[in-house]
Amino acid sequence: SRGLIHEYYTPTRVARAIAEALRPRLADLANEDGQILSLEPSAGIGRLIEALSGDGFDALRWHACEYSRISGQLLSALRPDVDVSIGPLEKWVQEHAELQGELGLVVSNPPYGERGAAQQLDPDRAYQDRRAYVYQMRRTLDFLRPGGIGVYLVPSGFLTGMGPEFIELRRKVLRRHHLMAAFRLPSESEDKKPLFPGALLVTDVLFFRARGGELADVVAEDQAI
């Protein structure tokens, strides 16, 4: 019951739409042995992982991180093929430093609240973001190999918020990652039901491609963003 105030699992229709958008792009993400090292940093019970399974997704080799012990155990039982770590992402980052710059794909619907005490577990001062979704997006994007793709379902403020904090956040991300596409989702379905049961949220699905380094400044065509 403690999770009900902040755990909004990814709607299956959204997860499947993300999977279909990614399917034709996966061939370019494989490493030398044909596999695609993949991460779901806030996996829940595996809605996104399940959507990216089956025909066309055979090359994906999943790592998953889930803070909730119950959800993480359910995911482990449902998908024994997935390397599931139960605990905060900050802990996963420290235990998987060898994957920095090696992932081909990250897909996530991160938590939208504050990071809490887990913030102290990541010693890298470059990632001291207060919002959990900002930390998870920035931190895991930087685990991608050059050309790798990161997909995130996040609050609309990140992409279009006009406050100086959001503008600087976009500048940080765009210097290291190309925004491939962005989709704003309706908060309600056609039959007037919330897309996320129990909440009316305005969310964006953002697709990024890792540049493989950091630019001195945002490129001209991204200045409007």
PDB file of all heavy atoms in Angstrom, residues 121-135:
ATOM      1  N   LEU A 121      24.094   7.662  -2.208  1.00  0.00           N
ATOM      2  CA  LEU A 121      24.816   6.455  -2.611  1.00  0.00           C
ATOM      3  C   LEU A 121      25.631   6.647  -3.890  1.00  0.00           C
ATOM      4  O   LEU A 121      26.478   5.815  -4.206  1.00  0.00           O
ATOM      5  CB  LEU A 121      23.832   5.297  -2.813  1.00  0.00           C
ATOM      6  CG  LEU A 121      23.026   4.877  -1.584  1.00  0.00           C
ATOM      7  CD1 LEU A 121      22.050   3.761  -1.944  1.00  0.00           C
ATOM      8  CD2 LEU A 121      23.957   4.431  -0.461  1.00  0.00           C
ATOM      9  N   ASP A 122      25.360   7.715  -4.629  1.00  0.00           N
ATOM     10  CA  ASP A 122      26.125   7.978  -5.859  1.00  0.00           C
ATOM     11  C   ASP A 122      27.141   9.074  -5.565  1.00  0.00           C
ATOM     12  O   ASP A 122      26.775  10.227  -5.391  1.00  0.00           O
ATOM     13  CB  ASP A 122      25.189   8.400  -6.993  1.00  0.00           C
ATOM     14  CG  ASP A 122      25.894   8.430  -8.345  1.00  0.00           C
ATOM     15  OD1 ASP A 122      27.133   8.587  -8.372  1.00  0.00           O
ATOM     16  OD2 ASP A 122      25.208   8.293  -9.378  1.00  0.00           O
ATOM     17  N   PRO A 123      28.419   8.744  -5.519  1.00  0.00           N
ATOM     18  CA  PRO A 123      29.432   9.734  -5.151  1.00  0.00           C
ATOM     19  C   PRO A 123      29.748  10.740  -6.250  1.00  0.00           C
ATOM     20  O   PRO A 123      30.432  11.743  -5.992  1.00  0.00           O
ATOM     21  CB  PRO A 123      30.663   8.871  -4.838  1.00  0.00           C
ATOM     22  CG  PRO A 123      30.485   7.659  -5.689  1.00  0.00           C
ATOM     23  CD  PRO A 123      29.012   7.413  -5.738  1.00  0.00           C
ATOM     24  N   ASP A 124      29.278  10.514  -7.465  1.00  0.00           N
ATOM     25  CA  ASP A 124      29.583  11.414  -8.574  1.00  0.00           C
ATOM     26  C   ASP A 124      28.752  12.682  -8.435  1.00  0.00           C
ATOM     27  O   ASP A 124      27.530  12.667  -8.615  1.00  0.00           O
ATOM     28  CB  ASP A 124      29.299  10.723  -9.912  1.00  0.00           C
ATOM     29  CG  ASP A 124      29.882  11.473 -11.096  1.00  0.00           C
ATOM     30  OD1 ASP A 124      29.961  12.716 -11.031  1.00  0.00           O
ATOM     31  OD2 ASP A 124      30.269  10.819 -12.080  1.00  0.00           O
ATOM     32  N   ARG A 125      29.414  13.792  -8.148  1.00  0.00           N
ATOM     33  CA  ARG A 125      28.714  15.053  -7.889  1.00  0.00           C
ATOM     34  C   ARG A 125      28.052  15.633  -9.131  1.00  0.00           C
ATOM     35  O   ARG A 125      27.259  16.574  -9.036  1.00  0.00           O
ATOM     36  CB  ARG A 125      29.691  16.080  -7.311  1.00  0.00           C
ATOM     37  CG  ARG A 125      30.452  15.614  -6.082  1.00  0.00           C
ATOM     38  CD  ARG A 125      29.526  15.189  -4.954  1.00  0.00           C
ATOM     39  NE  ARG A 125      28.743  16.291  -4.438  1.00  0.00           N
ATOM     40  CZ  ARG A 125      27.820  16.173  -3.498  1.00  0.00           C
ATOM     41  NH1 ARG A 125      27.564  14.981  -2.979  1.00  0.00           N
ATOM     42  NH2 ARG A 125      27.150  17.225  -3.078  1.00  0.00           N
ATOM     43  N   ALA A 126      28.359  15.103 -10.302  1.00  0.00           N
ATOM     44  CA  ALA A 126      27.730  15.586 -11.535  1.00  0.00           C
ATOM     45  C   ALA A 126      26.277  15.151 -11.638  1.00  0.00           C
ATOM     46  O   ALA A 126      25.542  15.662 -12.488  1.00  0.00           O
ATOM     47  CB  ALA A 126      28.511  15.094 -12.744  1.00  0.00           C
ATOM     48  N   TYR A 127      25.871  14.214 -10.777  1.00  0.00           N
ATOM     49  CA  TYR A 127      24.514  13.678 -10.856  1.00  0.00           C
ATOM     50  C   TYR A 127      23.767  13.880  -9.538  1.00  0.00           C
ATOM     51  O   TYR A 127      23.190  12.945  -8.998  1.00  0.00           O
ATOM     52  CB  TYR A 127      24.555  12.192 -11.211  1.00  0.00           C
ATOM     53  CG  TYR A 127      25.229  11.894 -12.522  1.00  0.00           C
ATOM     54  CD1 TYR A 127      26.567  11.480 -12.552  1.00  0.00           C
ATOM     55  CD2 TYR A 127      24.562  12.034 -13.724  1.00  0.00           C
ATOM     56  CE1 TYR A 127      27.197  11.207 -13.749  1.00  0.00           C
ATOM     57  CE2 TYR A 127      25.189  11.757 -14.932  1.00  0.00           C
ATOM     58  CZ  TYR A 127      26.508  11.349 -14.939  1.00  0.00           C
ATOM     59  OH  TYR A 127      27.131  11.077 -16.133  1.00  0.00           O
ATOM     60  N   GLN A 128      23.754  15.091  -9.062  1.00  0.00           N
ATOM     61  CA  GLN A 128      23.078  15.390  -7.804  1.00  0.00           C
ATOM     62  C   GLN A 128      21.667  15.933  -8.023  1.00  0.00           C
ATOM     63  O   GLN A 128      21.176  16.753  -7.258  1.00  0.00           O
ATOM     64  CB  GLN A 128      23.913  16.392  -6.991  1.00  0.00           C
ATOM     65  CG  GLN A 128      25.177  15.808  -6.409  1.00  0.00           C
ATOM     66  CD  GLN A 128      24.878  14.683  -5.440  1.00  0.00           C
ATOM     67  OE1 GLN A 128      24.199  14.881  -4.439  1.00  0.00           O
ATOM     68  NE2 GLN A 128      25.367  13.483  -5.740  1.00  0.00           N
ATOM     69  N   ASP A 129      21.016  15.481  -9.081  1.00  0.00           N
ATOM     70  CA  ASP A 129      19.671  15.949  -9.400  1.00  0.00           C
ATOM     71  C   ASP A 129      18.694  15.583  -8.279  1.00  0.00           C
ATOM     72  O   ASP A 129      18.734  14.490  -7.730  1.00  0.00           O
ATOM     73  CB  ASP A 129      19.194  15.316 -10.709  1.00  0.00           C
ATOM     74  CG  ASP A 129      20.167  15.576 -11.856  1.00  0.00           C
ATOM     75  OD1 ASP A 129      20.181  16.701 -12.370  1.00  0.00           O
ATOM     76  OD2 ASP A 129      20.918  14.644 -12.201  1.00  0.00           O
ATOM     77  N   ARG A 130      17.809  16.510  -7.968  1.00  0.00           N
ATOM     78  CA  ARG A 130      16.843  16.300  -6.899  1.00  0.00           C
ATOM     79  C   ARG A 130      15.707  15.379  -7.331  1.00  0.00           C
ATOM     80  O   ARG A 130      15.252  14.525  -6.568  1.00  0.00           O
ATOM     81  CB  ARG A 130      16.288  17.664  -6.468  1.00  0.00           C
ATOM     82  CG  ARG A 130      15.218  17.611  -5.395  1.00  0.00           C
ATOM     83  CD  ARG A 130      14.896  19.016  -4.911  1.00  0.00           C
ATOM     84  NE  ARG A 130      14.632  19.921  -6.018  1.00  0.00           N
ATOM     85  CZ  ARG A 130      13.426  20.070  -6.595  1.00  0.00           C
ATOM     86  NH1 ARG A 130      12.393  19.368  -6.161  1.00  0.00           N
ATOM     87  NH2 ARG A 130      13.258  20.908  -7.598  1.00  0.00           N
ATOM     88  N   ARG A 131      15.227  15.531  -8.559  1.00  0.00           N
ATOM     89  CA  ARG A 131      14.125  14.708  -9.057  1.00  0.00           C
ATOM     90  C   ARG A 131      14.645  13.341  -9.496  1.00  0.00           C
ATOM     91  O   ARG A 131      15.636  13.247 -10.212  1.00  0.00           O
ATOM     92  CB  ARG A 131      13.433  15.402 -10.230  1.00  0.00           C
ATOM     93  CG  ARG A 131      12.720  16.699  -9.867  1.00  0.00           C
ATOM     94  CD  ARG A 131      12.102  17.309 -11.123  1.00  0.00           C
ATOM     95  NE  ARG A 131      11.339  18.517 -10.836  1.00  0.00           N
ATOM     96  CZ  ARG A 131      11.852  19.734 -10.786  1.00  0.00           C
ATOM     97  NH1 ARG A 131      13.156  19.905 -11.025  1.00  0.00           N
ATOM     98  NH2 ARG A 131      11.099  20.784 -10.529  1.00  0.00           N
ATOM     99  N   ALA A 132      13.921  12.299  -9.117  1.00  0.00           N
ATOM    100  CA  ALA A 132      14.363  10.938  -9.431  1.00  0.00           C
ATOM    101  C   ALA A 132      14.394  10.691 -10.934  1.00  0.00           C
ATOM    102  O   ALA A 132      15.321  10.060 -11.449  1.00  0.00           O
ATOM    103  CB  ALA A 132      13.451   9.919  -8.744  1.00  0.00           C
ATOM    104  N   TYR A 133      13.389  11.170 -11.659  1.00  0.00           N
ATOM    105  CA  TYR A 133      13.366  10.885 -13.096  1.00  0.00           C
ATOM    106  C   TYR A 133      14.501  11.582 -13.826  1.00  0.00           C
ATOM    107  O   TYR A 133      15.059  11.028 -14.793  1.00  0.00           O
ATOM    108  CB  TYR A 133      12.004  11.245 -13.711  1.00  0.00           C
ATOM    109  CG  TYR A 133      11.797  12.694 -14.078  1.00  0.00           C
ATOM    110  CD1 TYR A 133      12.203  13.191 -15.314  1.00  0.00           C
ATOM    111  CD2 TYR A 133      11.166  13.575 -13.201  1.00  0.00           C
ATOM    112  CE1 TYR A 133      11.990  14.517 -15.662  1.00  0.00           C
ATOM    113  CE2 TYR A 133      10.948  14.889 -13.530  1.00  0.00           C
ATOM    114  CZ  TYR A 133      11.363  15.361 -14.758  1.00  0.00           C
ATOM    115  OH  TYR A 133      11.166  16.690 -15.089  1.00  0.00           O
ATOM    116  N   VAL A 134      14.878  12.782 -13.372  1.00  0.00           N
ATOM    117  CA  VAL A 134      15.994  13.497 -14.007  1.00  0.00           C
ATOM    118  C   VAL A 134      17.295  12.744 -13.756  1.00  0.00           C
ATOM    119  O   VAL A 134      18.107  12.529 -14.671  1.00  0.00           O
ATOM    120  CB  VAL A 134      16.082  14.943 -13.491  1.00  0.00           C
ATOM    121  CG1 VAL A 134      17.336  15.634 -14.053  1.00  0.00           C
ATOM    122  CG2 VAL A 134      14.834  15.729 -13.871  1.00  0.00           C
ATOM    123  N   TYR A 135      17.503  12.313 -12.525  1.00  0.00           N
ATOM    124  CA  TYR A 135      18.708  11.541 -12.220  1.00  0.00           C
ATOM    125  C   TYR A 135      18.762  10.265 -13.041  1.00  0.00           C
ATOM    126  O   TYR A 135      19.791   9.957 -13.667  1.00  0.00           O
ATOM    127  CB  TYR A 135      18.750  11.198 -10.732  1.00  0.00           C
ATOM    128  CG  TYR A 135      19.820  10.173 -10.392  1.00  0.00           C
ATOM    129  CD1 TYR A 135      21.155  10.551 -10.310  1.00  0.00           C
ATOM    130  CD2 TYR A 135      19.496   8.831 -10.199  1.00  0.00           C
ATOM    131  CE1 TYR A 135      22.148   9.615 -10.020  1.00  0.00           C
ATOM    132  CE2 TYR A 135      20.470   7.894  -9.913  1.00  0.00           C
ATOM    133  CZ  TYR A 135      21.797   8.287  -9.829  1.00  0.00           C
ATOM    134  OH  TYR A 135      22.777   7.361  -9.566  1.00  0.00           O
TER     135      TYR A 135
END
